[in-house]
Amino acid sequence: MTKRLYFLVSLQDALRISEELSQLGMTRYILQPHDSQIAFVFESVSDMTQTVLRRFFGTDGVSQQED
């Protein structure tokens, strides 16, 4: 399991992405401001969830991993 996975998105995209994640049943994340962007932070994600999230965010966000 990954300790933390986060994606940076623009403020304009954050609301849309939040709604889409909710429709997919993904509600276990926190939002954090990061400079002029918003970070979607996912704690302790499984390999499967990590794959789904990376595909979902695609080129809309920057994926970074912390161990």
Side-chain angles (χ1 to χ4, degrees):
M1 298 219 35
T2 302
K3 275 188 165 180
R4 178 178 290 169
L5 183 68
Y6 63 96
F7 297 89
L8 296 175
V9 300
S10 69
L11 183 58
Q12 294 80 8
D13 289 336
L15 180 59
R16 176 186 55 81
I17 289 171
S18 179
E19 290 174 357
E20 290 176 10
L21 286 172
S22 181
Q23 289 174 354
L24 292 173
M26 293 187 173
T27 57
R28 298 183 69 195
Y29 60 87
I30 50 178
L31 298 174
Q32 294 180 338
H34 191 321
D35 296 326
S36 63
Q37 297 178 312
I38 300 293
F40 281 78
V41 182
F42 299 86
E43 301 281 346
S44 300
V45 296
S46 68
D47 290 340
M48 176 64 95
T49 301
Q50 182 176 336
T51 299
V52 169
L53 289 170
R54 286 180 182 219
R55 286 184 182 163
F56 176 81
F57 280 90
T59 58
D60 291 338
V62 176
S63 172
Q64 295 184 5
Q65 214 172 309
E66 290 182 0
D67 291 324

